[in-house]
Amino acid sequence: MGYSVHPSAIVDEGAQIGAGSRVWHFVHVCGGARIGERCSLGQNVFVGNDVRIGDNVKIQNNVSVYDAVTLEDDVFCGPSMVFTNVYNPRSAVTRKDEYRRTLVRRGATLGANSTIVCGTTIGEYAFIGAGAVINRDVPAFALMVGVPARQLGWMSRFGERLPLPLAGDGEARCPHTGERYRLRDGVCTLEQ
């Protein structure tokens, strides 16, 4: 098997889970889910059929990853954060054919109790603050806070705030790693 599943968890037949992954108490993984290596699914996590999860993803307690969500490698989902897959749900109206895809790029952090409205893309290494509501695409390395979320600044791959303006041009180094970041025309990139 190569991964561990707590006895209280349910992993439906057909689900694929990578080596070294851990599935904790009261988790339900649906049969169509694809989960990478070295992932951690905390207590009371739900993973739908049409879900793709990369390697080294951490999903904290009480998170439901619904159909049409893709999490790339190294994504962090904080406790009780929320994904949606229908933009305008009604109990009496079936909209399963209207799911909007959500993509969370490599290394992004989704803070505790944040909400990601379906149909959005979260850029690589973006940092979504606790309780924020994301209702539009988020640039790579962006720090987002509030309801609805607004950009407050930029974050390094290590998770440190970068002293860069919100728009325009600039350069900064991560205070922890020394990696250099460049802001050009409002787009932040890591210099290689």
Side-chain angles (χ1 to χ4, degrees), residues 138-155:
V138 173
F141 303 104
L143 170 60
M144 306 292 290
V145 298
V147 178
R150 69 189 189 293
Q151 188 174 355
L152 188 64
W154 303 97
M155 298 288 276

Side-chain angles (χ1 to χ4, degrees), residues 5 37 76 92 95 144-145 186:
V5 177
E37 297 180 356
F76 177 86
R95 290 197 164 111
M144 306 292 290
V145 298

Side-chain angles (χ1 to χ4, degrees), residues 166-188:
L166 284 180
D169 299 334
E171 291 186 14
R173 290 194 178 272
C174 173
H176 186 84
T177 66
E179 291 176 325
R180 192 173 78 174
Y181 294 81
R182 178 172 291 173
L183 184 67
R184 292 289 179 259
D185 298 322
V187 176
C188 186

Side-chain angles (χ1 to χ4, degrees), residues 4 7-8 15 20 28-29 33 57-58 62-63 67 69 101 125 127 135 143 148 169 176:
S4 63
S8 66
H28 181 188
V29 178
V57 172
K58 306 292 188 278
N62 305 311
V63 174
D67 285 347
V69 173
R101 302 208 70 80
Y125 300 102
F127 198 102
N135 60 0
L143 170 60
D169 299 334
H176 186 84

